[in-house]
Amino acid sequence: MPKIEKIGVLTGGGDAPGLNAVIRAVVKAAHNAGVAVIGLEDSFDGLVYTDKARELRPSDVTGILRRGGTILGTVNRGNPFLAPITTPEGTFDYSDRVLEMFQRLGLSALVCIGGDGTLAISYEFYKKGVPLVGVPKTIDNDIVGTTSCFGFDTAVSFATDAIDRLHTTAEAHHRIMVAEVMGRYAGWIALHAGVAGGADVILIPEIAYDLEKVAECIRARERLGARFSIVVVAEGARPKGGTVSVVEAATEGQVERLGGAGAACAAHLETLTGKETRYVVLGHLQRGGAPTAFDRTLATRFGGKAVELILNGQFGKMVANHPPDIVPVPLGEVTGKFKTVPLDYDLLLTARAIGVSFGD
Ligand code: F6P
């Protein structure tokens, strides 16, 4: 195996708290092993344009452990392989350009930190001969092969705090309060934050809901003297026989933007129950701010493991959390799939057992 002297690191897809903690761990672990690190800006754009790559030394990553976002920037543009790319140097086939720039920068390997889209692009480049290791990131926690991704714990903590705060108004005004949380294909955030926040109803993409059932749950609470209800709805939840709420349609290579699930539920529940109902969309607030201690440690472990895999020549792998270990799993086994909440997941069953309605 050729000696590893210089590696590149990039972040792609939507940001998640903990990206900077991974970058920091990669830079420090590599530096301590005598390997230089090049930070590539705005995902694979760092391997397309000539002004988007810079050396990262340990002093460049001091103090970023607790910062949200990513010091490298990121893009969430869908499938870049679909069109040629134009730079000040000319127009190129996308993958040819990335391969050429990888050589030009003298890189031995890449650490690609991202969600399903970035990991899928990374896998394509691995198959074209780029030695790389993937690091899974998403607040949605829907990447297969790993029990958790950094960012999820922070998002759940934030959403739980928000639900706690909604209880105040719900109780004071005897209202239904609906909180729309992220979760495009999977209801992990809604389920965990919903249970942690004491929600009465949790609507997730895995279980198509019937709002009449939800309304009945709320009426039953009323009969028992509870004059308010908290509903948590994942953005990707859909009514039985209906579709997800979309604010922007999909374009070629780009998935649709979701939004409106909370508003739709709130309007219908008000009609069905006659109770005053309000909704909030937590949106990107869930992706912002400082990572929790759990996410900082998971991100640091992922970064350290990614460098270890590169030094051992274990490419084409994604680092994964398999408690108590961080292990490599083949990228080919994780791309193109989503880890949804199993219907027999113990937290889901427990939520049902304590009376939470899933609208089914
Ligand atoms: O994948 C994470 C996620 O937060 C999804 O839950 C959400 O649908 C999407 O990103 C929003 O992405 P954007 O920042 O492009 O609006």
Side-chain angles (χ1 to χ4, degrees), residues 13-15 76 115-116 137-142 181-186 189 235 254-259 283-284 286-287:
D15 66 320
N76 200 2
D116 51 289
K137 160 263 30 159
T138 168
I139 66 162
D140 290 1
N141 202 37
D142 58 3
V181 300
M182 282 188 170
R184 167 174 283 279
Y185 306 110
I189 296 177
E235 62 181 346
Q254 183 82 46
V255 292
E256 69 269 0
R257 274 183 56 218
L258 301 185
H284 291 81
Q286 294 160 96
R287 295 208 323 225

Side-chain angles (χ1 to χ4, degrees), residues 50-330:
T50 51
D51 58 349
K52 285 180 177 276
R54 64 179 197 267
E55 181 163 5
L56 291 178
R57 300 182 50 78
S59 57
D60 297 312
V61 295
T62 296
I64 68 169
L65 175 63
R66 69 190 78 92
R67 273 171 57 187
T70 160
I71 61 164
L72 292 174
T74 184
V75 291
N76 200 2
R77 261 203 312 262
N79 187 350
F81 291 98
L82 293 177
I85 193 126
T86 301
T87 78
E89 291 184 328
T91 298
F92 305 92
D93 170 78
Y94 177 75
S95 45
D96 289 350
R97 174 65 173 184
V98 168
L99 294 174
E100 185 225 322
M101 288 290 286
F102 179 83
Q103 303 294 345
R104 221 203 272 186
L105 288 168
L107 298 176
S108 318
L110 290 181
V111 176
C112 303
I113 313 165
D116 51 289
T118 305
L119 294 174
I121 295 167
S122 304
Y123 186 48
E124 289 308 308
F125 283 121
Y126 169 67
K127 287 191 284 186
K128 286 178 185 289
V130 179
L132 56 82
V133 169
V135 176
K137 160 263 30 159
T138 168
I139 66 162
D140 290 1
N141 202 37
D142 58 3
I143 295 179
V144 302
T146 181
T147 57
S148 50
C149 292
F150 62 87
F152 172 63
D153 187 64
T154 308
V156 168
S157 299
F158 174 82
T160 302
D161 183 48
I163 296 165
D164 284 350
R165 287 164 189 266
L166 288 177
H167 264 96
T168 313
T169 304
E171 284 181 32
H173 288 260
H174 320 301
R175 283 177 178 162
I176 302 172
M177 296 296 284
V178 177
E180 180 185 308
V181 300
M182 282 188 170
R184 167 174 283 279
Y185 306 110
W188 297 104
I189 296 177
L191 178 61
H192 280 252
V195 171
D200 308 295
V201 178
I202 301 174
L203 305 178
I204 60 177
E206 293 83 351
I207 303 174
Y209 62 81
D210 175 351
L211 278 187
E212 182 45 54
K213 295 250 170 72
V214 175
E216 185 41 41
C217 158
I218 291 168
R219 289 186 208 109
R221 280 176 52 74
E222 294 270 329
R223 289 195 289 275
L224 292 173
R227 299 176 64 200
F228 71 94
S229 288
I230 300 286
V231 177
V232 175
V233 53
E235 62 181 346
R238 67 191 155 80
K240 264 185 194 140
T243 54
V244 291
S245 302
V246 172
V247 285
E248 202 176 302
T251 53
E252 199 181 13
Q254 183 82 46
V255 292
E256 69 269 0
R257 274 183 56 218
L258 301 185
C265 284
H268 291 152
L269 283 177
E270 188 160 88
T271 310
L272 289 172
T273 62
K275 283 187 72 64
E276 204 174 30
T277 305
R278 299 283 189 270
Y279 73 92
V280 290
V281 180
L282 301 187
H284 291 81
L285 293 171
Q286 294 160 96
R287 295 208 323 225
T292 58
F294 180 87
D295 281 339
R296 294 180 201 190
T297 51
L298 181 61
T300 301
R301 295 170 77 197
F302 277 175
K305 191 69 177 185
V307 172
E308 182 192 308
L309 294 184
I310 285 177
L311 294 175
N312 292 336
Q314 280 189 270
F315 303 118
K317 303 284 185 347
M318 177 187 87
V319 297
N321 187 20
H322 285 200
D325 301 314
I326 304 295
V327 299
V329 297

